Amino acid sequence: MVYSIVTGKRLMETKIHSSLRTVEWKDNVVVMIDQTRLPNELVYVKYTDYKDVADAIRNLVVRGAPAIGVSGAFGLALAALQSKATDKESLLKDLEQAKKILFETRPTAINLAWGLEKIMNIARSGKDASEIRNNVIKEAKAMAEEDIEINMRMGKHGSQLFHDNDTIMTHCNAGALATVAYGTALGVIRATKESGKKIKVIATETRPVMQGSRLTAFELKYDGIDVSLIPDTAVGYSMANGLVSKVIVGADRILHTGHVYNKIGTYQVAMMAKQHNIPFYVAAPLSTFDMKSAPSDVVIEQRKASEVTRVAGKKTAPDDINVINPAFDMTPPELITGIITEVGVAKPPFEESIKKLFEPKL
Ligand code: MRU
């Protein structure tokens, strides 16, 4: 499955908008960066079976809300190719089964459900099996391209909020590696730099899966953006000592009330930013908004204990210790300065401003 340990030559080929391409559809094969192997090796894996794509999402080979939304769509496109069905009803049945398997991989990021539903709607509207197969593949590929465009538009809106000489803190990885390319929070950082402003980034390491140190530090260095890495425990120190001008993070789900679900630890960073009067921004596409759920409906993924009791495979806690390992937390709207999207920036009060984001523009 792994087809290349990337050399300098390959790196040049995969540069898109000066960043990495995380997931791609190439000749009926899904190609993605294996993020579990970063930053040690930049390796691409290839999948032709949707069940392998489901495993890749579950095991964090691909992660980040928009990236798993598009990967889910590609998974369904593979399922359409794998199905032996010759009529519409049988193909839809096979796709429903694949959708269920893909959906059950990760519960918190709403982009996964969004991507799967978008493809299923396209499939349902096809007239026969052959048309459905063609349309599903076409739509999944279009979703990947749109993701990049959306991130770039979001970047333009967001870059107006950041100034020359800002030092911007970010948590987890909401970058090219969490999307198809360019990134949401890191897309805003890229766009700010592209607009000619000098900026620096502080990345938290983001225990326990280390998306900050393994992925954010890697991709910002890869693109030549000034980045310093801190342990999660140094957020307070950095803010109290004037090292941080603004914070920007991504999101896995945003409710219509402005409650933001993102990587575990985001809530602590937002609290600390409030304490130090530091603006706290969230960047996410409209596909991350969940306009129906209340906080009590949102399932927070709980991950395995070994992520906490081991570092690089080595035991760092006593045997049989009880572990609590939630993958996400919720930041309440009162801690958020603005939510940056591809159609503009929502400011408090969020119930009103989020509603406006979805109104058709004349
Ligand atoms: O568990 P992960 O790595 O999938 O969590 C990712 C995050 O929490 C990101 O901040 C979020 O998905 C936004 S990505 C643009």
Side-chain angles (χ1 to χ4, degrees), residues 60 62-66 68 106 109 171-175 178-179 183-185 209 211 215 249-252 261-264 266 283 285 301 303 327-328:
L60 310 185
V62 64
R63 33 64 54 201
I68 64 176
R106 299 198 74 191
H171 183 63
C172 190
N173 173 267
T179 59
T184 57
V209 180
Q211 289 93 334
L215 308 176
V249 296
D252 290 85
Y261 293 80
N262 191 47
K263 179 52 54 198
I264 193 71
T266 303
E301 177 182 357
R303 294 192 60 87
F328 302 97

Side-chain angles (χ1 to χ4, degrees), residues 85-98:
T86 51
D87 61 278
K88 177 173 173 170
E89 280 62 41
S90 316
L91 180 53
L92 286 182
K93 215 168 135 214
D94 286 349
L95 288 177
E96 285 293 351
Q97 172 61 16

Side-chain angles (χ1 to χ4, degrees), residues 213-291:
S213 58
R214 291 191 306 106
L215 308 176
T216 295
F218 169 82
E219 78 164 80
L220 291 181
K221 266 199 97 202
Y222 178 73
D223 275 351
I225 296 173
D226 185 323
V227 55
S228 303
L229 182 64
I230 59 162
D232 298 320
T233 40
V235 169
Y237 169 92
S238 306
M239 292 187 180
N241 286 284
L243 305 184
V244 182
S245 338
K246 289 175 184 111
V247 179
I248 188 164
V249 296
D252 290 85
R253 191 185 289 234
I254 302 175
L255 305 190
H256 67 107
T257 44
H259 291 78
V260 168
Y261 293 80
N262 191 47
K263 179 52 54 198
I264 193 71
T266 303
Y267 176 40
Q268 289 169 198
V269 177
M271 281 293 287
M272 200 60 82
K274 187 75 164 182
Q275 168 75 7
H276 293 286
N277 280 323
I278 295 170
F280 181 92
Y281 292 103
V282 176
L286 295 185
S287 54
T288 300
F289 286 77
D290 174 354
M291 301 298 276

Side-chain angles (χ1 to χ4, degrees), residues 62-88:
V62 64
R63 33 64 54 201
I68 64 176
V70 171
S71 300
F74 281 158
L76 278 183
L78 287 182
L81 287 176
Q82 285 172 263
S83 167
K84 305 254 182 303
T86 51
D87 61 278
K88 177 173 173 170

